[in-house]
Amino acid sequence: MSITSAPTFDQTLALARRLSPQDRATLIAQLAHELVTPAAPAQAAADDVNPWQRLAELRAHFAALGSVTPTAGEQLEIDRRERDEALRGTTEADHVHA
């Protein structure tokens, strides 16, 4: 059996018979799993995908997720408040005009 040609069924069977009983069972289980698991849908060719359309889809997806982290300005304001509270020993609940 050469590496460049596809192995025949008989060659594959001969190789499988050289495996230990445990490895044979693993091989059979793996092949059975591949037979019952549906194959992943074929990916569209790179030429078929419009990158601008894909970018628009990604932007819409992330916009639908909403903001989960504060913006840089919001984070700066949060940090300033925390620093001020730590320096003064006060909490935000203590502020009358907050």
Side-chain angles (χ1 to χ4, degrees), residues 30-54:
Q30 178 66 36
L31 292 173
H33 178 73
E34 289 176 12
L35 286 173
V36 298
T37 303
Q43 294 289 332
D47 296 337
D48 296 342
V49 178
N50 180 343
W52 294 110
Q53 179 183 355
R54 180 70 180 132

Side-chain angles (χ1 to χ4, degrees), residues 69-81:
T69 59
T71 64
E74 292 168 339
Q75 185 62 51
L76 183 60
E77 183 60 33
I78 291 168
D79 292 344
R80 284 180 180 158
R81 273 192 245 131

Side-chain angles (χ1 to χ4, degrees), residues 5 7 9 16 18 24 26-29 42-44 47-48 51 58 60-61 70 72-73 77 80 84 87 90 96:
S5 65
F9 177 79
R18 292 173 43 191
R24 280 186 188 182
T26 304
L27 176 63
I28 292 168
Q43 294 289 332
D47 296 337
D48 296 342
L58 285 172
H61 172 75
E77 183 60 33
R80 284 180 180 158
D84 288 345
L87 291 173
T90 62
V96 177

Side-chain angles (χ1 to χ4, degrees), residues 7-19 24 27:
T8 66
F9 177 79
D10 291 333
Q11 291 170 331
T12 305
L13 187 58
L15 285 173
R17 287 185 174 143
R18 292 173 43 191
L19 295 172
R24 280 186 188 182
L27 176 63

